[in-house]
Amino acid sequence: MSRTTDILLTALAPAVWGSTYLVTTEALPAGYPVTLAALRALPAGLLLLAVTRCLPPRAWLGRIFLLGGFNFALFWVLLFVAAYRLPGGVAATLGSLQAMMVIVMARGWLGTPVRAGALAAAATGVLGVALLLIGPEAARDPIGVAAGLGGAASMAAGTVLSRKWQPPVSPLSFTAWQLTAGGLI
């Protein structure tokens, strides 16, 4: 692939991800975050399971359901609650705290050293998102804020634990297991 193609594909992921708030608030029925999370995770997980044809071993089921819960079920439910209750800029800023949470959790769970540069980069990212997206009309609903922070913490926990627990399968199979577990939860 050309450099231009790489750049466009790289830009596509955050653009699609960023559309979650717009689609949730403008096109989806309000008040169904659990249903929306299940509909987002389970079909994708089942499709990937069909493609990979690889089921998790029994010994991994607890870890897979915990990771599926953190990375998909809990995260998406809280993401949708935050999207319903907060302006997109506030929700995105709360979500951007995830990088800092990963740094702290990785220190506690993996023994990874905390580097000043990593903390500075994470803080700069949060500040940048806030400056770009939070306007003077930004409301701060307590339930929405709690959901935004909880979603960031859930995904951070899933990210760190995914690094800790590496099954002997392809990343696609590992993702399929987590999506399916998250959708079932």
Side-chain angles (χ1 to χ4, degrees):
M1 285 193 292
S2 72
R3 179 153 170 77
T4 303
T5 303
D6 287 345
I7 291 170
L8 290 174
L9 288 174
T10 302
L12 182 63
V16 169
W17 181 255
S19 70
T20 298
Y21 300 102
L22 180 64
V23 170
T24 300
T25 58
E26 303 301 321
L28 297 175
Y32 299 97
V34 175
T35 302
L36 294 175
L39 289 173
R40 193 163 178 181
L42 192 56
L46 293 174
L47 180 64
L48 285 176
L49 277 179
V51 168
T52 62
R53 296 180 176 198
C54 179
L55 294 174
R58 191 173 240 159
W60 272 86
L61 288 178
R63 291 177 183 174
I64 294 303
F65 273 90
L66 186 63
L67 291 171
F70 280 144
N71 284 327
F72 298 107
L74 182 59
F75 170 69
W76 275 337
V77 167
L78 294 173
L79 175 78
F80 287 125
V81 169
Y84 287 137
R85 299 189 68 107
L86 297 171
V90 174
T93 301
L94 293 171
S96 71
L97 290 167
Q98 178 188 336
M100 291 184 135
M101 293 176 184
V102 166
I103 292 167
V104 171
M105 288 178 186
R107 173 68 184 138
W109 295 346
L110 305 176
T112 305
V114 175
R115 293 185 177 20
L119 283 176
T124 301
V126 172
L127 181 61
V129 170
L131 289 173
L132 284 171
L133 299 178
I134 295 181
E137 75 292 341
R140 287 165 195 89
D141 174 76
I143 293 172
V145 170
L149 290 171
S154 175
M155 181 57 89
T159 298
V160 173
L161 290 174
S162 292
R163 196 179 318 156
K164 181 176 181 151
W165 298 328
Q166 292 290 316
V169 296
S170 72
L172 195 60
S173 293
F174 194 35
T175 302
W177 298 349
Q178 291 178 63
L179 277 165
T180 303
L184 291 172
I185 290 171

